[in-house]
Amino acid sequence: MSMQHENSISFRNLSVTFTLKRKKEITAVKDVSFDVRRGEIFGIVGTSGAGKSTLLRTVNLLQRPTGGQVFVNGEDVTFLRGAALQQLRTNIGMIFQQFNLINAKTVYDNIAFVMKITGKSNGEIRRRTQEVLELVGLSDRAQAYPSKLSGGEKQRVGIARALANNPSILLCDEPTSSLDLENTDIILQLLKEINSKLNITTLIISHEMHVIKKICNRVAVMNRGEVVELGEAFNIFTSPAGEYTKLLVSHTLDMELPEPALHRNARTLKLFYSGDKAHNAVISDAIRQFDVNINILLGKIEYITGKPFGILIIELSGEQENVARAEQYIRTQTCRVEEVEYTVTLDN
């Protein structure tokens, strides 16, 4: 079976089952099917135990599937072994959460090591090591040991090592979860630049939605081994379909108000804007046209894959008929409106 050439990775009804003590079985990945297009940055997101890492590791067969198929660049790799498996892994770079550097080797030797095992000459190793160190901004750290590097520098060495054999695919297993926010942003920007310069297909898994939001073109949301939602990153964040995805998105957008901020005599709405509508003067227009009072409680605009997405929480008050007409107008000018309810807790 040949796959379309525009897909770097294809999963077809893929499952992974583990047998534990007393022959108890756990299905870590269940009947997963989707494609990763050539040259894109694709994200897999979900909470701990969702099956993300297990699925990622089936691409280079560090984890063998127990059902279904994996295709890489059009080839069914599910049952590869020996020299063919080694060639597959040479074509796939991998970046790890904990860097996985050899502490007794210099930065140069950590990168050179992965080329030596593929039979590269000393001249090729020297040239390519210098290239990838320059690419990740560490040309001056070639003779340093990992113990002398910051966390961000260690991960840049990990990226350089993953690129050493000129792979067409880059697998990133929680690449920023051991880093602070500043280094997270540096690493994500570097991965975007590498993807753009080299057109390298990048598959990244994370439990952190803000990582996915910053870097990914498309996203698969996993829960309990299954893909529960799949689509463009912008659409996943702006219009999540399932309750599980909505919960993940709500945590990263962080736009909840404490109850004391809400007033019982006003209608409180959460407005979602996307695309061109994120810049429209909806609030001032509604005040002017419908003679209502609008109090902005909270708001922000974010950019997801370069497109603006805004959230605004407002209180709408005035004559009942005017409020209703203003709300209807606001609903036509935004992509989604949710009512924020005021709740009262009664003591027993």
Side-chain angles (χ1 to χ4, degrees), residues 87-134:
Q87 182 57 45
L88 171 74
R89 290 175 175 168
T90 300
N91 191 41
I92 299 173
M94 192 159 187
I95 302 167
F96 302 91
Q97 177 180 353
Q98 298 297 339
F99 320 129
N100 285 15
L101 301 180
I102 303 170
N103 290 324
K105 290 182 180 289
T106 64
V107 165
Y108 181 95
D109 288 335
N110 264 278
I111 298 167
F113 174 75
V114 299
M115 286 183 280
K116 285 179 181 177
I117 62 177
T118 61
K120 297 287 196 304
S121 69
N122 288 335
E124 287 178 295
I125 290 171
R126 245 188 334 268
R127 178 185 57 77
R128 183 59 179 163
T129 301
Q130 290 168 353
E131 284 178 358
V132 292
L133 280 175
E134 185 175 339

Side-chain angles (χ1 to χ4, degrees), residues 36-74:
V36 179
R37 298 168 189 155
R38 189 179 304 279
E40 75 174 331
I41 303 179
F42 191 101
I44 303 174
V45 68
T47 52
S48 179
K52 308 182 300 296
S53 290
T54 302
L55 180 62
L56 183 83
R57 289 162 65 87
T58 65
V59 178
N60 56 4
L61 297 183
L62 291 178
Q63 175 61 60
R64 288 192 174 271
T66 50
Q69 297 167 287
V70 185
F71 294 82
V72 174
N73 294 328

Side-chain angles (χ1 to χ4, degrees), residues 78 81 86 102 108 116 160 189 197 206 210 259 267 307 327:
T78 314
R81 295 188 184 278
Q86 182 57 49
I102 303 170
Y108 181 95
K116 285 179 181 177
Q189 184 58 37
K197 287 179 182 177
S206 181
H210 73 271
E259 283 186 11
R267 185 154 177 76
K307 301 175 187 175
E327 180 179 339

